[in-house]
Amino acid sequence: MDFPSGLLFGALTGLLLLSPSRADAARPYINDKKVPENRHDLEVIQKHVTDSLPAARKATVCIDLGDGSGSGVVVSADGLILTAAHVTGGVGKEFTVIFEDGRKAKAESMGLISTTDAAMARITEPGTWPYVEIDREDSAHLGDWVYSLGHSGGFDKERGVNVRLGRLVQVKDSTVQSDCSLIGGDSGGPLFDLNGKLIGIHSRVGQRTQENMHVPVREFLKNWDAMQKSEFVGEGPFAKKPEKGKGFLGIGTLPRAEGGLSIDKVGRESPAEKAGLKSGDIVLKMDGVELKTKEQFQDLLKEKAPDDRVALELLRDGKTETLTLRLGER
């Protein structure tokens, strides 16, 4: 995804935290060699990648935002996606995801951690989706062989997902660095260990191509519940916190003696028009609160931010109905 250079070139500081040393039968021996020493070593790396790559490719998606694109990876059969906060840009945003075979699905962003660039999203269409396993044991070590996937430059069915092999060259508490070169469009894509377990999400690049930063899976696991609840966490540089009072609906109303407010104007291309509100509709309630005056309605809207959902109970043609819509931005 194309982002301002200032965002891509951000850097984090912190103490070097190596993963604790422990026995792990599934850990490829090649990770503990400084360099491959012979053909067999290279063939071991190749076999690990080729064995796990098909499933990893199937679960890696392009996130199409309309005016740009990033990447993400599905981590559950019901369509939970991990990606970067600077890709989704906020909570409750709708977009399309594209699988490597060209299949498309609608999705919506959930919570994010703006300080470390972690974000969650979910496919909103029913279905069973290809997914990858997360390294919940946080077993990646400094120097491990890894590979990255991403829709570099956007979706391209003929090319497919890009694959880059490398090693972990730095491991910190809230970020890891690899020498898998990343470019625009890779943001939010997955980083795997040689067993095909997800260990990180691509975040940003440094001033040199070798400086490729990823959000470690542990950062997602630490904030899992908050992201599942669609919370915006932190005040960091990777996503702009929604501001209350900036939410835009796009209707004009008149007071009504019988209660509620009569809509006398609907703005063109406004969220209200797109949701189907019409002049003559009566707004009886907003989010369950009975409306009595325009001032009360305006006060309720001032508590809302762009992309917040509001439920409006309407009286239309003598019948009541509830319409839920997402606010725009002033």
mmCIF file of all heavy atoms in Angstrom, residues 118-150:
data_model
loop_
_atom_site.group_PDB
_atom_site.id
_atom_site.type_symbol
_atom_site.label_atom_id
_atom_site.label_comp_id
_atom_site.label_asym_id
_atom_site.label_seq_id
_atom_site.Cartn_x
_atom_site.Cartn_y
_atom_site.Cartn_z
ATOM 1 N N ALA A 118 -0.889 -3.029 15.030
ATOM 2 C CA ALA A 118 -1.622 -4.297 14.955
ATOM 3 C C ALA A 118 -3.105 -4.016 14.725
ATOM 4 O O ALA A 118 -3.657 -3.083 15.299
ATOM 5 C CB ALA A 118 -1.455 -5.088 16.252
ATOM 6 N N ALA A 119 -3.736 -4.817 13.882
ATOM 7 C CA ALA A 119 -5.163 -4.634 13.630
ATOM 8 C C ALA A 119 -5.817 -5.969 13.293
ATOM 9 O O ALA A 119 -5.161 -6.898 12.830
ATOM 10 C CB ALA A 119 -5.403 -3.637 12.497
ATOM 11 N N MET A 120 -7.103 -6.017 13.536
ATOM 12 C CA MET A 120 -7.898 -7.219 13.278
ATOM 13 C C MET A 120 -9.073 -6.823 12.376
ATOM 14 O O MET A 120 -9.560 -5.695 12.423
ATOM 15 C CB MET A 120 -8.413 -7.768 14.614
ATOM 16 C CG MET A 120 -9.089 -9.099 14.550
ATOM 17 S SD MET A 120 -9.583 -9.654 16.221
ATOM 18 C CE MET A 120 -8.018 -10.239 16.873
ATOM 19 N N ALA A 121 -9.501 -7.757 11.550
ATOM 20 C CA ALA A 121 -10.672 -7.528 10.691
ATOM 21 C C ALA A 121 -11.417 -8.853 10.569
ATOM 22 O O ALA A 121 -10.925 -9.898 11.002
ATOM 23 C CB ALA A 121 -10.238 -7.022 9.320
ATOM 24 N N ARG A 122 -12.589 -8.807 9.998
ATOM 25 C CA ARG A 122 -13.372 -10.033 9.839
ATOM 26 C C ARG A 122 -14.104 -10.016 8.515
ATOM 27 O O ARG A 122 -14.657 -8.979 8.114
ATOM 28 C CB ARG A 122 -14.385 -10.181 10.976
ATOM 29 C CG ARG A 122 -15.201 -11.473 10.870
ATOM 30 C CD ARG A 122 -16.156 -11.643 12.038
ATOM 31 N NE ARG A 122 -15.486 -11.893 13.295
ATOM 32 C CZ ARG A 122 -14.953 -13.069 13.632
ATOM 33 N NH1 ARG A 122 -14.986 -14.075 12.786
ATOM 34 N NH2 ARG A 122 -14.375 -13.229 14.797
ATOM 35 N N ILE A 123 -14.103 -11.146 7.833
ATOM 36 C CA ILE A 123 -14.935 -11.298 6.637
ATOM 37 C C ILE A 123 -16.380 -11.357 7.080
ATOM 38 O O ILE A 123 -16.735 -12.127 7.982
ATOM 39 C CB ILE A 123 -14.526 -12.568 5.868
ATOM 40 C CG1 ILE A 123 -13.093 -12.424 5.342
ATOM 41 C CG2 ILE A 123 -15.491 -12.832 4.712
ATOM 42 C CD1 ILE A 123 -12.558 -13.682 4.673
ATOM 43 N N THR A 124 -17.221 -10.519 6.477
ATOM 44 C CA THR A 124 -18.605 -10.408 6.926
ATOM 45 C C THR A 124 -19.563 -11.287 6.138
ATOM 46 O O THR A 124 -20.756 -11.322 6.443
ATOM 47 C CB THR A 124 -19.059 -8.941 6.852
ATOM 48 O OG1 THR A 124 -18.820 -8.440 5.521
ATOM 49 C CG2 THR A 124 -18.289 -8.092 7.850
ATOM 50 N N GLU A 125 -19.070 -11.966 5.125
ATOM 51 C CA GLU A 125 -19.919 -12.876 4.359
ATOM 52 C C GLU A 125 -19.836 -14.279 4.956
ATOM 53 O O GLU A 125 -18.766 -14.690 5.431
ATOM 54 C CB GLU A 125 -19.472 -12.913 2.897
ATOM 55 C CG GLU A 125 -19.600 -11.581 2.193
ATOM 56 C CD GLU A 125 -19.165 -11.675 0.735
ATOM 57 O OE1 GLU A 125 -19.039 -12.814 0.222
ATOM 58 O OE2 GLU A 125 -18.935 -10.632 0.122
ATOM 59 N N PRO A 126 -20.947 -15.020 4.940
ATOM 60 C CA PRO A 126 -20.886 -16.384 5.468
ATOM 61 C C PRO A 126 -19.994 -17.259 4.596
ATOM 62 O O PRO A 126 -19.898 -17.063 3.384
ATOM 63 C CB PRO A 126 -22.353 -16.846 5.401
ATOM 64 C CG PRO A 126 -22.984 -15.979 4.352
ATOM 65 C CD PRO A 126 -22.287 -14.663 4.426
ATOM 66 N N GLY A 127 -19.339 -18.203 5.233
ATOM 67 C CA GLY A 127 -18.473 -19.103 4.461
ATOM 68 C C GLY A 127 -17.411 -19.721 5.340
ATOM 69 O O GLY A 127 -17.251 -19.357 6.508
ATOM 70 N N THR A 128 -16.721 -20.664 4.789
ATOM 71 C CA THR A 128 -15.566 -21.273 5.438
ATOM 72 C C THR A 128 -14.334 -20.904 4.628
ATOM 73 O O THR A 128 -14.290 -21.153 3.422
ATOM 74 C CB THR A 128 -15.726 -22.812 5.491
ATOM 75 O OG1 THR A 128 -16.925 -23.121 6.215
ATOM 76 C CG2 THR A 128 -14.533 -23.448 6.193
ATOM 77 N N TRP A 129 -13.350 -20.322 5.288
ATOM 78 C CA TRP A 129 -12.241 -19.689 4.579
ATOM 79 C C TRP A 129 -10.923 -20.397 4.909
ATOM 80 O O TRP A 129 -10.734 -20.899 6.023
ATOM 81 C CB TRP A 129 -12.157 -18.208 4.972
ATOM 82 C CG TRP A 129 -13.466 -17.520 4.851
ATOM 83 C CD1 TRP A 129 -14.369 -17.283 5.850
ATOM 84 C CD2 TRP A 129 -14.091 -17.034 3.649
ATOM 85 N NE1 TRP A 129 -15.492 -16.661 5.360
ATOM 86 C CE2 TRP A 129 -15.354 -16.492 4.013
ATOM 87 C CE3 TRP A 129 -13.701 -16.990 2.308
ATOM 88 C CZ2 TRP A 129 -16.218 -15.929 3.076
ATOM 89 C CZ3 TRP A 129 -14.567 -16.425 1.380
ATOM 90 C CH2 TRP A 129 -15.796 -15.905 1.764
ATOM 91 N N PRO A 130 -9.991 -20.402 3.950
ATOM 92 C CA PRO A 130 -8.662 -20.973 4.242
ATOM 93 C C PRO A 130 -7.951 -20.120 5.285
ATOM 94 O O PRO A 130 -8.043 -18.888 5.248
ATOM 95 C CB PRO A 130 -7.954 -20.919 2.879
ATOM 96 C CG PRO A 130 -8.657 -19.849 2.112
ATOM 97 C CD PRO A 130 -10.082 -19.876 2.570
ATOM 98 N N TYR A 131 -7.252 -20.766 6.218
ATOM 99 C CA TYR A 131 -6.599 -20.000 7.275
ATOM 100 C C TYR A 131 -5.288 -20.668 7.678
ATOM 101 O O TYR A 131 -5.030 -21.828 7.327
ATOM 102 C CB TYR A 131 -7.520 -19.854 8.495
ATOM 103 C CG TYR A 131 -7.812 -21.133 9.229
ATOM 104 C CD1 TYR A 131 -7.089 -21.495 10.364
ATOM 105 C CD2 TYR A 131 -8.807 -21.993 8.791
ATOM 106 C CE1 TYR A 131 -7.360 -22.673 11.041
ATOM 107 C CE2 TYR A 131 -9.085 -23.175 9.452
ATOM 108 C CZ TYR A 131 -8.361 -23.510 10.579
ATOM 109 O OH TYR A 131 -8.632 -24.676 11.227
ATOM 110 N N VAL A 132 -4.483 -19.923 8.403
ATOM 111 C CA VAL A 132 -3.188 -20.435 8.867
ATOM 112 C C VAL A 132 -3.177 -20.515 10.391
ATOM 113 O O VAL A 132 -3.988 -19.887 11.074
ATOM 114 C CB VAL A 132 -2.030 -19.532 8.397
ATOM 115 C CG1 VAL A 132 -1.915 -19.556 6.889
ATOM 116 C CG2 VAL A 132 -2.190 -18.110 8.918
ATOM 117 N N GLU A 133 -2.223 -21.277 10.893
ATOM 118 C CA GLU A 133 -2.082 -21.440 12.336
ATOM 119 C C GLU A 133 -1.143 -20.368 12.895
ATOM 120 O O GLU A 133 -0.122 -20.043 12.296
ATOM 121 C CB GLU A 133 -1.522 -22.828 12.643
ATOM 122 C CG GLU A 133 -1.450 -23.157 14.117
ATOM 123 C CD GLU A 133 -0.915 -24.567 14.349
ATOM 124 O OE1 GLU A 133 -0.744 -25.310 13.368
ATOM 125 O OE2 GLU A 133 -0.658 -24.901 15.515
ATOM 126 N N ILE A 134 -1.516 -19.848 14.051
ATOM 127 C CA ILE A 134 -0.700 -18.837 14.725
ATOM 128 C C ILE A 134 0.319 -19.527 15.635
ATOM 129 O O ILE A 134 0.012 -20.528 16.277
ATOM 130 C CB ILE A 134 -1.600 -17.912 15.568
ATOM 131 C CG1 ILE A 134 -2.518 -17.094 14.664
ATOM 132 C CG2 ILE A 134 -0.762 -16.982 16.445
ATOM 133 C CD1 ILE A 134 -3.534 -16.268 15.439
ATOM 134 N N ASP A 135 1.514 -18.970 15.717
ATOM 135 C CA ASP A 135 2.529 -19.473 16.651
ATOM 136 C C ASP A 135 2.238 -18.921 18.046
ATOM 137 O O ASP A 135 2.822 -17.927 18.480
ATOM 138 C CB ASP A 135 3.928 -19.050 16.192
ATOM 139 C CG ASP A 135 5.001 -19.465 17.193
ATOM 140 O OD1 ASP A 135 4.766 -20.448 17.919
ATOM 141 O OD2 ASP A 135 6.047 -18.797 17.244
ATOM 142 N N ARG A 136 1.318 -19.556 18.730
ATOM 143 C CA ARG A 136 0.906 -19.078 20.055
ATOM 144 C C ARG A 136 1.977 -19.306 21.118
ATOM 145 O O ARG A 136 1.892 -18.752 22.210
ATOM 146 C CB ARG A 136 -0.410 -19.754 20.471
ATOM 147 C CG ARG A 136 -1.574 -19.377 19.567
ATOM 148 C CD ARG A 136 -2.878 -20.013 20.009
ATOM 149 N NE ARG A 136 -3.971 -19.640 19.117
ATOM 150 C CZ ARG A 136 -4.668 -18.517 19.212
ATOM 151 N NH1 ARG A 136 -4.408 -17.682 20.198
ATOM 152 N NH2 ARG A 136 -5.620 -18.245 18.347
ATOM 153 N N GLU A 137 2.968 -20.120 20.799
ATOM 154 C CA GLU A 137 4.032 -20.396 21.768
ATOM 155 C C GLU A 137 5.135 -19.334 21.704
ATOM 156 O O GLU A 137 6.078 -19.371 22.491
ATOM 157 C CB GLU A 137 4.634 -21.782 21.486
ATOM 158 C CG GLU A 137 3.630 -22.926 21.557
ATOM 159 C CD GLU A 137 2.976 -23.022 22.917
ATOM 160 O OE1 GLU A 137 3.696 -22.830 23.916
ATOM 161 O OE2 GLU A 137 1.766 -23.274 22.967
ATOM 162 N N ASP A 138 5.012 -18.407 20.740
ATOM 163 C CA ASP A 138 6.016 -17.347 20.606
ATOM 164 C C ASP A 138 7.420 -17.952 20.527
ATOM 165 O O ASP A 138 8.334 -17.573 21.261
ATOM 166 C CB ASP A 138 5.912 -16.387 21.799
ATOM 167 C CG ASP A 138 6.662 -15.077 21.540
ATOM 168 O OD1 ASP A 138 6.966 -14.799 20.362
ATOM 169 O OD2 ASP A 138 6.957 -14.368 22.515
ATOM 170 N N SER A 139 7.573 -18.902 19.630
ATOM 171 C CA SER A 139 8.777 -19.727 19.611
ATOM 172 C C SER A 139 9.865 -19.242 18.655
ATOM 173 O O SER A 139 10.901 -19.880 18.536
ATOM 174 C CB SER A 139 8.395 -21.169 19.256
ATOM 175 O OG SER A 139 7.771 -21.216 17.985
ATOM 176 N N ALA A 140 9.635 -18.123 17.966
ATOM 177 C CA ALA A 140 10.634 -17.641 17.011
ATOM 178 C C ALA A 140 11.870 -17.119 17.738
ATOM 179 O O ALA A 140 11.774 -16.442 18.755
ATOM 180 C CB ALA A 140 10.042 -16.543 16.140
ATOM 181 N N HIS A 141 13.048 -17.442 17.195
ATOM 182 C CA HIS A 141 14.316 -17.029 17.782
ATOM 183 C C HIS A 141 15.043 -16.080 16.830
ATOM 184 O O HIS A 141 14.853 -16.149 15.612
ATOM 185 C CB HIS A 141 15.223 -18.230 18.024
ATOM 186 C CG HIS A 141 14.678 -19.215 18.999
ATOM 187 N ND1 HIS A 141 15.490 -20.102 19.676
ATOM 188 C CD2 HIS A 141 13.421 -19.474 19.430
ATOM 189 C CE1 HIS A 141 14.757 -20.864 20.472
ATOM 190 N NE2 HIS A 141 13.494 -20.507 20.323
ATOM 191 N N LEU A 142 15.902 -15.281 17.392
ATOM 192 C CA LEU A 142 16.787 -14.465 16.567
ATOM 193 C C LEU A 142 17.604 -15.374 15.644
ATOM 194 O O LEU A 142 18.174 -16.375 16.091
ATOM 195 C CB LEU A 142 17.735 -13.661 17.470
ATOM 196 C CG LEU A 142 18.688 -12.703 16.762
ATOM 197 C CD1 LEU A 142 17.922 -11.562 16.118
ATOM 198 C CD2 LEU A 142 19.713 -12.150 17.760
ATOM 199 N N GLY A 143 17.638 -15.064 14.358
ATOM 200 C CA GLY A 143 18.394 -15.853 13.396
ATOM 201 C C GLY A 143 17.587 -16.928 12.691
ATOM 202 O O GLY A 143 18.079 -17.558 11.750
ATOM 203 N N ASP A 144 16.337 -17.152 13.118
ATOM 204 C CA ASP A 144 15.504 -18.171 12.473
ATOM 205 C C ASP A 144 15.248 -17.825 11.003
ATOM 206 O O ASP A 144 15.091 -16.659 10.641
ATOM 207 C CB ASP A 144 14.158 -18.295 13.185
ATOM 208 C CG ASP A 144 14.245 -19.121 14.458
ATOM 209 O OD1 ASP A 144 15.359 -19.546 14.825
ATOM 210 O OD2 ASP A 144 13.185 -19.320 15.087
ATOM 211 N N TRP A 145 15.137 -18.881 10.200
ATOM 212 C CA TRP A 145 14.716 -18.693 8.813
ATOM 213 C C TRP A 145 13.217 -18.432 8.784
ATOM 214 O O TRP A 145 12.439 -19.087 9.510
ATOM 215 C CB TRP A 145 15.041 -19.927 7.975
ATOM 216 C CG TRP A 145 16.511 -20.060 7.700
ATOM 217 C CD1 TRP A 145 17.436 -20.708 8.469
ATOM 218 C CD2 TRP A 145 17.215 -19.490 6.599
ATOM 219 N NE1 TRP A 145 18.675 -20.592 7.920
ATOM 220 C CE2 TRP A 145 18.582 -19.854 6.759
ATOM 221 C CE3 TRP A 145 16.850 -18.733 5.493
ATOM 222 C CZ2 TRP A 145 19.566 -19.465 5.850
ATOM 223 C CZ3 TRP A 145 17.825 -18.344 4.585
ATOM 224 C CH2 TRP A 145 19.171 -18.708 4.768
ATOM 225 N N VAL A 146 12.796 -17.471 7.975
ATOM 226 C CA VAL A 146 11.383 -17.090 7.872
ATOM 227 C C VAL A 146 11.076 -16.792 6.400
ATOM 228 O O VAL A 146 11.990 -16.630 5.582
ATOM 229 C CB VAL A 146 11.070 -15.834 8.724
ATOM 230 C CG1 VAL A 146 11.268 -16.134 10.214
ATOM 231 C CG2 VAL A 146 11.956 -14.654 8.303
ATOM 232 N N TYR A 147 9.798 -16.703 6.106
ATOM 233 C CA TYR A 147 9.426 -16.203 4.780
ATOM 234 C C TYR A 147 8.205 -15.306 4.893
ATOM 235 O O TYR A 147 7.355 -15.487 5.762
ATOM 236 C CB TYR A 147 9.223 -17.328 3.766
ATOM 237 C CG TYR A 147 8.088 -18.283 4.017
ATOM 238 C CD1 TYR A 147 6.818 -18.068 3.486
ATOM 239 C CD2 TYR A 147 8.291 -19.448 4.762
ATOM 240 C CE1 TYR A 147 5.791 -18.961 3.680
ATOM 241 C CE2 TYR A 147 7.262 -20.352 4.970
ATOM 242 C CZ TYR A 147 6.011 -20.097 4.439
ATOM 243 O OH TYR A 147 4.987 -20.998 4.647
ATOM 244 N N SER A 148 8.183 -14.316 4.018
ATOM 245 C CA SER A 148 7.091 -13.330 4.027
ATOM 246 C C SER A 148 6.239 -13.497 2.784
ATOM 247 O O SER A 148 6.727 -13.887 1.721
ATOM 248 C CB SER A 148 7.657 -11.906 4.075
ATOM 249 O OG SER A 148 8.241 -11.564 2.832
ATOM 250 N N LEU A 149 4.957 -13.205 2.935
ATOM 251 C CA LEU A 149 4.023 -13.188 1.800
ATOM 252 C C LEU A 149 3.336 -11.830 1.753
ATOM 253 O O LEU A 149 3.198 -11.157 2.775
ATOM 254 C CB LEU A 149 2.957 -14.280 1.950
ATOM 255 C CG LEU A 149 3.423 -15.734 1.976
ATOM 256 C CD1 LEU A 149 2.208 -16.661 1.990
ATOM 257 C CD2 LEU A 149 4.295 -16.053 0.775
ATOM 258 N N GLY A 150 2.895 -11.439 0.582
ATOM 259 C CA GLY A 150 2.181 -10.177 0.457
ATOM 260 C C GLY A 150 1.774 -9.918 -0.984
ATOM 261 O O GLY A 150 2.354 -10.476 -1.913
#
